Amino acid sequence: MQTSSQEAAAEPSPSEPAAPSRRELNKAATRSSIASAALDLLRSNGSGNFTVEDIAASAGVSRRTFFNYFPSLEAALASVADGFMDHALEQFRLRPADESILESAQAALMALADPMSVAPMAELFSLTHDNRQLARSELEAWEHCTEQIIDAARSRLGAGISELYVHALAGSVISCGKAAMTVWFAARGPDLSAESLAVLRQHLIDAMGLLGAGFAPPSDASFHASAASPSVPTTTDRF
């Protein structure tokens, strides 16, 4: 017979999320398999040279199953960037509740120390930036990021926070992310080496710093010094 202490130990802690069920794990694996197949076909065939049916066959699922997970080919491609945002938000939620949102965002990006963590987003940008139809994939990825940032901001700031505030904040963060990606790609092109991705990661961190500082024009010396610093720069933002 279990003692009361053993029974308590067997119960999950109220503060800990329940472990995902086998069904949830299987669904996540199927979703990931479809997204990976879509990206593999984009790499090998090029844009416009594969269909939903091709993706489904490559992933080993039916066309119907594909549409159970994604509404379109572009949505499947967009989902390859979900992991980066999920990991960044995990780090964001670990930050102190009294820290400004943008300082927390910078710290979250710094916590993703492996530059390869930004590889999925960078590769999606590289493969779709010059194709109008597939650019929808990138747009969907950014929209998903926006929704997640809004949810994270509401969670941090409380349900009574102004909707204009959280949407303006999320839109500003996403615009800075796009700017970092654009500047990186203009200089590096489709280079996905660890060195190149480290530059992209630093651009993302620096863009959050500029937003938090109210876009006060930095001197070259102070900007490069902050880029090299491992600590989160202090900002005076209200976010």
Side-chain angles (χ1 to χ4, degrees), residues 31-51:
R31 180 181 175 86
S32 177
S33 177
I34 294 171
S36 295
L39 184 59
D40 287 343
L41 285 167
L42 179 59
R43 290 172 181 145
S44 61
N45 294 12
S47 59
N49 296 318
F50 60 98
T51 64

Side-chain angles (χ1 to χ4, degrees), residues 65-78:
T65 297
F66 175 96
F67 284 111
N68 284 341
Y69 286 86
F70 299 104
S72 65
L73 181 154
E74 292 79 16
L77 285 171

Side-chain angles (χ1 to χ4, degrees), residues 149-171:
I149 292 169
I150 289 172
D151 288 343
R154 285 195 188 117
S155 178
R156 169 72 70 86
L157 300 171
I161 192 67
S162 161
E163 284 299 299
L164 175 60
Y165 181 92
V166 293
H167 280 78
L169 170 63

Side-chain angles (χ1 to χ4, degrees), residues 106-107 110 205 225-234:
Q106 279 188 301
M110 289 178 177
I205 292 169
S226 68
S229 172
S231 61
V232 181
T234 302

Side-chain angles (χ1 to χ4, degrees), residues 77-211:
L77 285 171
S79 71
V80 304
D82 289 354
F84 167 70
M85 195 63 192
D86 290 344
H87 293 150
L89 285 171
E90 285 175 10
Q91 295 299 321
F92 175 86
R93 294 186 178 102
L94 294 175
R95 302 300 302 172
D98 59 352
E99 185 175 64
S100 78
I101 284 182
L102 293 179
E103 285 178 341
S104 292
Q106 279 188 301
L109 290 169
M110 289 178 177
L112 301 177
D114 181 0
M116 298 307 291
S117 63
V118 299
M121 198 75 163
E123 184 172 18
L124 181 66
F125 185 93
S126 299
L127 293 171
T128 63
H129 79 284
D130 61 350
N131 183 289
R132 287 187 177 182
Q133 181 178 1
L134 289 183
R136 288 170 50 196
S137 300
E138 185 197 348
L139 179 60
E140 289 200 31
W142 286 118
E143 287 178 349
H144 180 62
C145 290
T146 302
E147 293 168 2
Q148 290 185 295
I149 292 169
I150 289 172
D151 288 343
R154 285 195 188 117
S155 178
R156 169 72 70 86
L157 300 171
I161 192 67
S162 161
E163 284 299 299
L164 175 60
Y165 181 92
V166 293
H167 280 78
L169 170 63
S172 299
V173 170
I174 291 300
S175 292
C176 284
K178 290 180 179 179
M181 195 78 70
T182 299
V183 170
W184 165 77
F185 189 79
R188 296 282 179 160
D191 179 5
L192 298 176
S193 66
E195 179 187 4
S196 176
L197 293 174
V199 172
L200 173 56
R201 172 180 170 272
Q202 190 62 55
H203 281 339
L204 291 168
I205 292 169
D206 290 340
M208 292 303 102
L210 290 172
L211 179 57

